[in-house]
Amino acid sequence: MDQQEIETSGLSRRHFIQGVSSAALAAGIFSSTSLNALAASVPGKKGGTLKVGVVGGSNDVFDANWIVAKADQARLMSTYETLMTFNEKFEAVTVNGLAESAKQNSPTKVTVKLRKGVKFHDGTPLTADDVIATFNRLLDPKQKTTGKPLRVFLDSSGLVKLDPLTVEFNLKAPNVDFLSVLASYTYAIAKAGYDGKTQIGTSAFSLVSYTPGRESVHKRFSGYWDAKNVYLDEVRIIDFSDKTALINALIAKQIDVAIDIPFEQYKTLKAKKYLNVVENSAGAWLAFCMRIDIKPFDDNNVRQALRLLVDRKQMLNRVLSGHGKIGNDLYGYIDANFNANGYQQRKQDIPAALALLKKSGYSKANPLRVELTAPDDTGGLVLMIQTLADQAKKTGGVVIIDAKVIDGGTYWSSKGQYMNTGFYTTYWSGRTYLAQVAASMDIYPETKFPPANSSFRADYLAAAGTANAKKRRAIVARMQKEEFDKGGYIIPFFNNFADAYSSKIKGVVVRPSQLNMDYYGHGFKYISLA
Amino acid sequence: MKASILKFVIKRIALGLLTLFIVSLLIFAVTQAFPADPAEAMLGREATPEALAALRADFGLDKPIVVQYTNWLFGILRGDLGTSYATSISVSEYIGPRVSASFFLLLIAAVGSIPLSIVIGANAALRRDRKFDTASSLVSLILAAMPEFVVGTILTIIFSTTIWQLLPAVTYLEVGAPPWSDISGLILPVLTLLIAVTPYVSRVMRAAMIEVLESDYVEMARLKGMDERTVLWRHAMPNAVGPAFQVIALNLAYLAGGVIIVERLFNFPGIGSALADAVRSRDLPVIQFLALIIAGVYVLTNLLADIGTVLVTPRLRTRLK
Amino acid sequence: MSEVKQSADQFVDERPPSLMRQGFKLRRTQIGAVLALLLMSVALVGPFLAPFGSTEYVDLPNTLNVPGTVFGTDYFGQDILSRFLFGGRTILILAFLATSIGITLGTTLGLTAAYLRGRADEVIMRALDVVLSFPQVLLSLLVISMFGPSNVLIIFTVGLSTTPRIARIIRGAAIGVVERDFISAAEALGESRRRVVFAEVLPNVTSSLLVEMNLRLTYSVGLIASLAFLGFTPEPNAANWGLMIQENRVALTEQPWGVILPAVALALMTIGTGLIGDGLSRVSAGIDRGGKGE
């Protein structure tokens, strides 16, 4: 597929995991493309149907606790709500959440009080039972959900109902930032007894119909707890199989919103007076993964040499037309402790790379020849491997990279290249440092880092349990040093994503967020047509 | 003579069915050879051995291939088309509305392309080597060279998004609404199909007409002193009807193929886009059924064209004796 | 013996004057030849003239006014002109190979069917009908999604789906010829079947063959592009006119050259080969009179 698939960096088979974020979330660091934090403009008129276009197909998933692609995210956010949400600094807050208040009593105890008068789309009230049922579903290994990281910290027995509107979480391992866990967008609350098939949530719009591969229709829910902030009558989320068709539909004014526009069309769309374009940079990243337990990547000289091979600026230009920020092989861009050691930006340094390789016996006569794979359903990754293969030519034949594109179904399957070979690619959305550590260590051990004799894992648990910000920063710095010096990721950049919508629309919140359109308007609240 | 015609018709129908049967075998064999295991594709990374086994049993994937094939075939004949792997709803529920939508699209395109290709082809043959012929030949060549998605993209740019903004860029049919509820949204896809199909078929028509016009009996009619018009209408035209049938069949056949690309380009909710989607997600039941339908349309139209040609062309009828 | 042969020769139509020589007397064939030669030169010599490498990074993607380039950069920051110059070779080789397979197989099968008639004819044509029951795109789609996109597979599928179409035409044209007197005369004289088929029948069916050839040639390029559109490319980012059209399609409104250049090349190639085919078929139609065909 084409390059712009990078923007829907969650296509067919992978799923975003909203992992446990167990770090203190202090101020994030971004460049906001717009100035306002929350929509503060004049309230719009009530009524109208919003047509939202997104790339999707028959593979779409509709579940409160599981997503694969952006279309799935849109539908989840339209139907369900979480206890907490993230603000633009990625701090957990109760605004737009189902919790009236939430308190972290101790590193192992959190109490959440639910709002009064919240109803599900079928009229029944939200109670503590529903919250406990949802988290049990997340903890159940037989269910297909994003709950795996949760199980490190929580067990069924830890979920206690204090009263019909209050839930207590007793953690089995300390996590000082459990409130952020509650803000993970796939930990949305469904009714007790949810079977994954009947979608009944608490959001502003109830599901009227869902036709896989075509569209879902959502109607304003009159019993919504925050009804005063809801303006639209109806929302339609429409699937498009082709990116260009999606953009064309927006240009021809057949839809009002296009999620995840390809950057090729960025200038064209921005030039149109009747459209607004919003670009978000919230620490999403693409990476090359090297498994530190597979030859030749078990040799750190090789790993570091490959990291020095990359011309990151060129790669950013080629893959994303410059829409992003250069990376330094460290993740957690939005975290306050990002790059705690203050490392200088790595640049392409062929002589240094060659020197390292020489130490391990590689030369023109004995070249380092490796295969690098990417799935064909995520365009950015395809361009990345081609770029790296091209850049490797600068070594004059000492490093030869065979870039191979594998069909998505095979690549991501349990026997596919992903996670089962030495050198391949992956993508992630932005999360805080420790949340990412958890995800990369346990859920998707892409690099099999850390090695056996490392203190990394112990450090992780220590940092998760430390409330002291200074102490945590020191631990994190140590962890990052190890990754910087010996890790298995090559992270050339953090990618942006952008949406375009009709300028008739009011109430779109523009601020750094993990999901498009500010979490799809938190279920298309605040948004009005004129 | 009637008996021999009947015999011919029955024979052709029988052959058609045999072809269809072989096609179904091939489709099934081809899709079974897909590398990715459908059960695993459905469950993804969270697949546990028990879940996989359960799913396989559910879908009958653990039975021998021959049994799976006969189950599938008889199921189709019974009307049970199986369950789509990707959407988890029955294939008939998923595909049903799409079949009628695509059928409508093809109908309109056929209604346009058949007379168009016949008229263009016949005119080019009649005015052979003169301006119309050369011009239409050139234009046909260029249009035929362009892949459908290029033609469609250019049309969209001209009429919908960049140069003029007259027509919708995609077809939007609300779920449950009939295919004619967005006529303006059908214009560009139909136009694309017409441009994709007509050049080829009008050339075939032209060649057939030329042959008819140069054939012995038409020559004879001219030699007998009949005026050109009588020659044309009394002798040439009736014998051009046979080739016309072939032209119709070709049109429908090309349209059935072109639909896969055009539907995706215009986001048309039909079987073409469903097929492309199903191939990417390895949705075997959908692939098998749709491939069978499309092939079935081919076989049927060829059958009708063959029978029609024979019935209509006197000299061929005599060969049956 | 020679007298017998001489008398038999009376029944044999004169060997037509060289098809090529006659054909190239026509203006249209000349124009077609010029176009085709032009494009083939671009395809063959292009890589030596290209200012940049085919995958060399020049500047930000989809930029029009890039110093040092004529048309600017494509979707991946590469020079469009250079990619265009590199892009003809593969595509022409692919197209020729695929079409050749189809024509060779199809002609053999069609002639055999026409000459043998009866049972053999039925069996051959019905088998080909089965292949014909798939639209080419569908067949390619299934095969390629099964085995993964590769150039070999594309050649194979295009060749395979071309075969029945050619066979039908050949057979149709050949049937009329086969029944004519001079064939029976040649047979009576004991000429081998194969010689009869290839030497006598073949020259008389060239006109239809030429028309088909031209169509199939350009179709294979279009098929490669269409498969890329659907998401199946053998070598992503290969410099290849068909692929270029799809790769640069999304940025068409900002950087049209990435699509225009290969599309125009494709059009010219079709026109060129079409004119040649047209010219030759006119000439051979003049030579071959009375083929009733079916």
Side-chain angles (χ1 to χ4, degrees), chain A residues 288-458:
Chain A
F288 301 96
C289 308
M290 300 178 285
R291 271 193 52 179
I292 66 172
D293 60 338
I294 293 185
K295 281 194 193 323
F297 306 100
D298 54 348
D299 177 356
N300 195 37
N301 286 334
V302 168
R303 298 206 295 274
Q304 290 298 94
L306 286 172
R307 283 168 158 189
L308 289 170
L309 199 61
V310 185
D311 180 349
R312 291 150 202 264
K313 184 121 192 52
Q314 190 200 92
M315 199 171 274
L316 178 62
N317 283 342
R318 293 193 86 167
V319 177
L320 292 176
S321 299
H323 288 265
K325 282 179 275 292
I326 302 186
N328 213 3
D329 305 327
L330 291 172
Y331 45 73
Y333 185 81
I334 58 175
D335 196 308
N337 291 327
F338 176 65
N339 196 10
N341 297 304
Y343 293 119
Q344 290 279 37
Q345 175 61 48
R346 267 189 180 130
K347 290 208 173 65
Q348 186 182 54
D349 189 350
I350 304 286
L354 288 175
L356 281 169
L357 288 169
K358 195 151 176 233
K359 273 201 236 166
S360 293
Y362 294 104
S363 63
K364 208 158 165 196
N366 177 29
L368 173 68
R369 195 182 193 116
V370 287
E371 186 178 274
L372 173 60
T373 56
D376 68 352
D377 56 11
T378 316
L381 299 182
V382 172
L383 294 181
M384 268 171 66
I385 65 172
Q386 287 163 3
T387 309
L388 191 63
D390 208 41
Q391 291 178 352
K393 293 189 189 142
K394 279 235 170 82
T395 62
V398 178
V399 177
I400 304 174
I401 296 182
D402 291 321
K404 280 211 176 65
V405 177
I406 313 286
D407 96 271
T410 312
Y411 181 86
W412 300 111
S413 74
S414 61
K415 296 192 199 58
Q417 283 76 7
Y418 177 68
M419 290 210 291
N420 296 320
T421 54
F423 199 22
Y424 57 93
T425 46
T426 187
Y427 63 86
W428 288 94
S429 65
R431 32 173 79 58
T432 56
Y433 180 72
L434 288 172
Q436 187 64 57
V437 166
S440 289
M441 250 193 339
D442 293 327
I443 317 166
Y444 295 107
E446 293 170 332
T447 60
K448 297 282 191 175
F449 183 90
N453 51 356
S454 152
S455 64
F456 194 79
R457 185 178 284 276

Side-chain angles (χ1 to χ4, degrees), chain B residues 30 129 145 157 211 298 319, chain C residues 132 146 252 270 282 292 294:
Chain B
V30 162
D129 291 341
I157 288 183
E211 203 187 281
Y298 249 64
R319 290 182 95 216
Chain C
L132 259 180
M146 203 170 50
L252 190 52
T270 319
R282 262 152 210 285
K292 282 202 176 65
E294 235 183 358

Side-chain angles (χ1 to χ4, degrees), chain B residues 207-224:
Chain B
M209 272 298 279
I210 288 180
E211 203 187 281
V212 165
L213 288 172
E214 289 181 351
S215 67
D216 290 350
Y217 50 89
V218 170
E219 281 295 306
M220 279 278 279
R222 284 208 190 95
L223 288 173
K224 276 196 203 159

